[in-house]
Amino acid sequence: MIPSLRKGHLAGLAGLLLLMPLPAAAEDGPALLDANCGGCHAADETGVLSRVKGQRKTPEGWLMTIVRMRLFHGMEITPEDQGKLVHYLSETQGLAPSEAADYRYILEREPAVVEDVDAPLGEMCSRCHSAARFTLQRRTQEEWDLHIDFHVGQFQTLEYQALGRDREWLKIAREEIVPLLAERYPLESDAWTTWLEARKPEANGTWLFTTTLPDKGEAYGRLEVSGDAQPLTVSGSLVTAAGEELPVSGRLNVYTGYEWRANLDIGGDKYRQILAMSEEGDRLSGRQFLHAEDSLGGAFRAVKAGGTAAIAGVVPSTLPAGSEETVQVVGTGLGDVALSGALVASGGAANLYGASIKVTPSDETDGLVSVASGEASAENAIAVYSHIDSLKVEPAFGVARVGGGGGSAGKVPARFDAVGYWNGPDGEAGTEDDIRIGVVPARWTVAPFNEEAEHLKDVEHAGQMDTELGIFVPGVAGPNPDRPFSTNNAGNLKVLATNGDVTGEGQLIVTVQRWNDPPIR
């Protein structure tokens, strides 16, 4: 079992609040909105409340708004009603699947995304928060303009900070940024109109999935979703690549017709799922992570049982040559399995999760393998390798944060994967034609990133790397008398992964606590 490394924060609170019981009838929403918001927001001639009517957001976005109203404006609302209100606003003023698709990484708490934000939004907005935070909102031009007023009023030093005091920030914000935001992220859109009218996917049923657990690697399983009212009941099982079976149980709410938010117990560990159902209702995708520490998690992919034949994935997805392995093809409607490419085999046995097949790649086997069963197929789903030409550390740049020491912020670890590659046709490593093998076992170490890190003994003080899992747990927060000037346990480290005679290198910054950690950063 993975120990809890971090105390609760707003992101964790979101996991609880978004699992509150929801109203059985949508007509409860308007009355709830008026009762809790009408005291400050005036209604127009149609009864719609000012400010509220000009915005659309994700469930996390609406939760953040309500929490801000509570913290700064004295709004009083019960946790149950807060959950219902978030649900109502997400249903009636949310984002269509296509509008949220490119920015799901921020909802899923992906820890290693580097955004590429064009000017002038990079200098004016992303200097303080992620670009995904404003791209996951839709507003009228008037509301974008009022949003500028909110920033100036709420953050009085905004124009005196870096990238604010060197320009006419307020003038640029009003004359350039507001029209740009209104054009790119308008309140009204064809996508949202179409989604409001569309038939919504059904969460109830059986889902077959693949994922990755931080301490156990690749895994697969099935989820049974049932219930007549939200939160729905989730039960099932998960099987690791090593064959360990773990029970799964928990609760699920669905927002905006497709936004899947679940809290699960998997073998005694608490996990959070932030997923999206496909518009057709036959697939799930997103990220699953430890509820106590969102940096430790992995991708989650699922297909719904009972529909057309489909494959969610294969476990394991990388096979060392020369050893007998049982490959689990995870999916629905599967029969005999056919492997083609570097490994040719057919047959298999149907089971609760799809179908399994035993294979024994020869000692010299190298290459990618496609999987097919009936009409379902997955290209290059398996890599068989007898050697590795090069390794890359993913993410190439990671961040961990010191914590504990009596403070309210716990340690924030970082997790890395070693990804093997073969040289492409040019015979050289590190070029565009390299062929990705996938995640492979490695021995993990850290080293000083530069001379300054060596001088400050960052390896000694910044934390510890698990040599097998690639999980780095940072040091304790607060002054360290053994360091120059009694500074804290920050550090600048190389992350080294070694498999055989090849080594990959990444960088890890160990830095201070994050005191403000909202559901959307």
Side-chain angles (χ1 to χ4, degrees):
M1 184 178 296
I2 303 171
S4 177
L5 297 170
R6 195 175 181 189
K7 295 183 179 179
H9 46 83
L10 185 54
L13 183 63
L16 298 175
L17 295 177
L18 293 182
L19 263 293
M20 294 298 294
L22 299 181
E27 55 266 24
D28 294 345
L32 196 63
L33 184 66
D34 183 66
N36 288 278
C37 307
C40 295
H41 294 268
D44 64 14
E45 62 278 3
T46 66
V48 179
L49 298 183
S50 65
R51 301 303 309 275
V52 180
K53 65 180 180 181
Q55 305 177 40
R56 292 193 285 117
K57 301 178 183 179
T58 63
E60 287 80 3
W62 282 119
L63 175 62
M64 289 169 63
T65 296
I66 296 171
V67 169
R68 179 166 54 82
M69 295 298 130
R70 287 170 44 205
L71 294 177
F72 294 102
H73 302 291
M75 177 184 183
E76 295 182 1
I77 185 171
T78 66
E80 182 179 0
D81 282 349
Q82 179 171 269
K84 293 177 180 179
L85 192 53
V86 169
H87 182 263
Y88 171 71
L89 290 169
S90 301
E91 293 293 303
T92 57
Q93 295 172 234
L95 297 188
S98 60
E99 291 177 313
D102 291 341
Y103 312 102
R104 300 203 63 81
Y105 58 85
I106 205 72
L107 301 175
E108 295 166 8
R109 313 291 288 181
E110 179 62 52
V113 174
V114 178
E115 294 181 321
D116 183 13
V117 189
D118 58 357
L121 296 177
E123 296 88 345
M124 296 292 290
C125 305
S126 294
R127 66 185 176 99
C128 292
H129 52 66
S130 67
R133 184 150 166 176
F134 59 81
T135 54
L136 285 174
Q137 299 184 41
R138 298 296 185 272
R139 297 171 181 261
T140 62
Q141 180 156 335
E142 179 187 10
E143 273 301 319
W144 281 119
D145 193 61
L146 289 171
H147 203 49
I148 301 300
D149 292 339
F150 156 75
H151 277 71
V152 175
Q154 191 75 61
F155 310 106
Q156 292 90 344
T157 63
L158 179 147
E159 295 178 86
Y160 300 98
Q161 299 169 4
L163 296 181
R165 61 178 176 263
D166 62 338
R167 65 197 68 203
E168 293 185 84
W169 190 91
L170 186 58
K171 180 180 179 181
I172 296 172
R174 290 206 187 283
E175 296 180 2
E176 296 183 32
I177 300 301
V178 167
L180 180 61
L181 291 172
E183 179 184 1
R184 291 189 181 181
Y185 313 112
L187 179 69
E188 298 180 3
S189 72
D190 291 341
W192 178 242
T193 300
T194 301
W195 181 247
L196 279 176
E197 299 172 353
R199 182 178 180 180
K200 305 304 186 291
E202 177 63 58
N204 283 23
T206 301
W207 297 88
L208 295 312
F209 68 85
T210 63
T211 190
T212 301
L213 299 186
D215 61 338
K216 299 180 185 296
E218 291 183 298
Y220 60 92
R222 61 188 286 135
L223 299 179
E224 304 285 349
V225 180
S226 61
D228 297 325
Q230 299 196 55
L232 303 173
T233 298
V234 182
S235 61
S237 58
L238 176 146
V239 183
T240 68
E244 180 183 6
E245 186 168 353
L246 302 173
V248 180
S249 61
R251 299 191 303 166
L252 159 70
N253 274 338
V254 177
Y255 296 84
T256 327
Y258 70 99
E259 291 283 10
W260 174 298
R261 303 292 185 268
N263 288 340
L264 302 180
D265 183 298
I266 302 177
D269 285 321
K270 305 300 182 184
Y271 280 85
R272 173 82 171 146
Q273 289 182 334
I274 299 182
L275 313 174
M277 288 189 288
S278 65
E279 296 184 39
E280 297 75 20
D282 57 350
R283 290 187 178 268
L284 265 177
S285 63
R287 188 167 177 267
Q288 173 179 281
F289 49 82
L290 282 172
H291 205 294
E293 187 39 70
D294 51 51
S295 66
L296 301 181
F300 186 98
R301 301 287 182 269
V303 295
K304 196 169 190 180
T308 58
I311 295 174
V314 180
V315 176
S317 60
T318 56
L319 298 176
S323 61
E324 184 177 84
E325 296 279 356
T326 297
V327 175
Q328 176 67 45
V329 182
V330 181
T332 182
L334 307 183
D336 286 347
V337 175
L339 307 182
S340 59
L343 183 63
V344 177
S346 61
N351 56 32
L352 287 174
Y353 310 100
S356 64
I357 183 170
K358 288 187 176 181
V359 294
T360 307
S362 69
D363 291 337
E364 294 79 28
T365 300
D366 281 294
L368 301 177
V369 181
S370 295
V371 180
S373 179
E375 297 182 359
S377 62
E379 296 296 317
N380 301 331
I382 306 171
V384 183
Y385 64 97
S386 64
H387 79 288
I388 297 169
D389 290 322
S390 63
L391 274 182
K392 290 185 179 179
V393 171
E394 293 186 358
F397 178 85
V399 176
R401 295 180 183 274
V402 298
S408 61
K411 298 178 181 180
V412 179
R415 180 180 177 274
F416 298 88
D417 284 321
V419 179
Y421 283 82
W422 294 304
N423 295 340
D426 66 5
E428 297 182 5
T431 56
E432 291 184 357
D433 65 353
D434 287 0
I435 302 170
R436 180 186 173 99
I437 299 171
V439 176
V440 297
R443 177 174 176 78
W444 294 92
T445 57
V446 293
F449 188 80
N450 52 27
E451 291 183 2
E452 183 67 14
E454 184 173 10
H455 172 68
L456 293 176
K457 299 181 179 180
D458 286 357
V459 171
E460 179 180 341
H461 297 292
Q464 298 292 323
M465 173 65 83
D466 187 300
T467 59
E468 294 184 2
L469 299 179
I471 296 176
F472 182 90
V473 179
V476 69
N480 183 345
D482 294 330
R483 306 199 78 179
F485 309 108
S486 293
T487 189
N488 59 34
N489 287 315
N492 188 6
L493 303 174
K494 290 181 182 178
V495 177
L496 303 173
T498 301
N499 181 304
D501 58 356
V502 294
T503 297
E505 180 180 315
Q507 183 180 5
L508 171 64
I509 295 294
V510 182
T511 187
V512 297
Q513 305 97 310
R514 183 197 296 271
W515 298 110
N516 181 18
D517 195 13
I520 302 178
R521 290 169 175 157

